[in-house]
Amino acid sequence: MAKKTYDLLFKLLLIGDSGVGKTCVLFRFSDDAFNTTFISTIGIDFKIKTVELQGKKIKLQIWDTAGQERFHTITTSYYRGAMGIMLVYDISNAKSFENISKWLRNIDEHANEDVERMLLGNKCDMEDKRIVPKAKGEQIAREHAIRFFETSAKANINIEKAFLTLAEDILKKVSHIAHYNNNIDQDKRFILPTSA
């Protein structure tokens, strides 16, 4: 049997409207590449990248979902088991930002309750075409108590930082749960069985 080359596996999900740059964000992080000729994701696709955080090798399995409505039923099943979800909108597309509330509802309906969420305002290199002010992204992130980054896959702005921050937040949560469970196991040893 092959030796496991990582300590932890985190499943991440990229969601948001079609055309906001989810695939470009994923390829910039996984392959450090940018391509302007991506065709729309059909259904679902994923990439794997292993990172090192706090002395642990963490395998990130990053799922890229189709933003089109017709693929909605396919993609909702991928929310289950996701430990981190990045909601992506395009700063030059007001509709993609307005739809963030719909995507947040999808997370509430389909994802685990304790999933880590993060908001990305993508294409921040297109300042001349900006429609969504940064302050609006910050405001919605504050309202939902989630982290926020403006990113650009093209100019490689905040892509790695966003993924590593999300992975660190998940790692903190996982470590906290493991510590908590360990303490419970410790406590159990001191409970004497009652005689019937």
Side-chain angles (χ1 to χ4, degrees):
M1 199 167 105
K3 185 178 177 289
K4 203 165 80 165
T5 56
Y6 58 91
D7 300 309
L8 296 162
L9 173 70
F10 293 171
K11 179 182 171 185
L12 308 180
L13 200 57
L14 286 163
I15 62 172
D17 284 8
S18 186
V20 296
K22 297 184 297 293
T23 302
C24 291
V25 164
L26 175 57
F27 271 80
R28 172 59 78 187
F29 178 65
S30 65
D31 302 356
D32 196 19
F34 180 78
N35 185 343
T36 53
T37 58
F38 279 121
I39 53 165
S40 282
T41 303
I42 309 285
I44 200 113
D45 193 10
F46 80 94
K47 287 271 190 188
I48 286 177
K49 180 162 179 169
T50 304
V51 297
E52 196 157 320
L53 290 172
Q54 298 172 22
K56 292 199 183 318
K57 273 196 172 19
I58 299 167
K59 189 184 220 179
L60 302 178
Q61 189 184 65
I62 310 156
W63 294 84
D64 178 16
T65 63
Q68 299 100 318
E69 201 58 51
R70 64 183 175 192
F71 296 117
H72 183 70
T73 49
I74 302 171
T75 57
T76 52
S77 60
Y78 287 90
Y79 284 75
R80 284 192 293 279
M83 300 166 86
I85 298 180
M86 288 180 160
L87 299 102
V88 188
Y89 69 91
D90 171 352
I91 68 148
S92 67
N93 178 333
K95 186 86 181 122
S96 73
F97 180 73
E98 289 159 22
N99 283 337
I100 286 297
S101 55
K102 176 192 82 168
W103 291 106
L104 282 162
R105 279 196 304 279
N106 283 348
I107 292 173
D108 290 343
E109 285 171 31
H110 304 291
N112 298 341
E113 209 174 286
D114 63 344
V115 70
E116 280 295 327
R117 300 167 304 162
M118 178 180 278
L119 181 63
L120 300 184
N122 196 33
K123 304 189 185 179
C124 71
D125 57 290
M126 294 168 49
E127 200 53 57
D128 55 327
K129 293 189 171 76
R130 178 188 286 274
I131 290 170
V132 183
K134 187 175 185 180
K136 275 192 153 183
E138 290 168 337
Q139 180 188 347
I140 201 165
R142 253 194 324 275
E143 285 168 10
H144 293 274
I146 58 179
R147 289 189 188 267
F148 170 70
F149 287 100
E150 281 203 337
T151 57
S152 166
K154 188 177 183 180
N156 198 6
I157 299 167
N158 283 338
I159 299 291
E160 187 163 7
K161 186 176 183 183
F163 277 99
L164 293 181
T165 301
L166 185 60
E168 274 178 14
D169 289 346
I170 297 167
L171 182 59
K172 276 185 206 141
K173 192 176 275 184
V174 169
S175 301
H176 180 74
I177 291 166
H179 179 74
Y180 174 78
N181 288 343
N182 206 10
N183 285 348
I184 285 178
D185 289 342
Q186 300 278 328
D187 294 343
K188 279 182 190 161
R189 282 185 289 180
F190 300 107
I191 300 170
L192 296 170
T194 54
S195 51

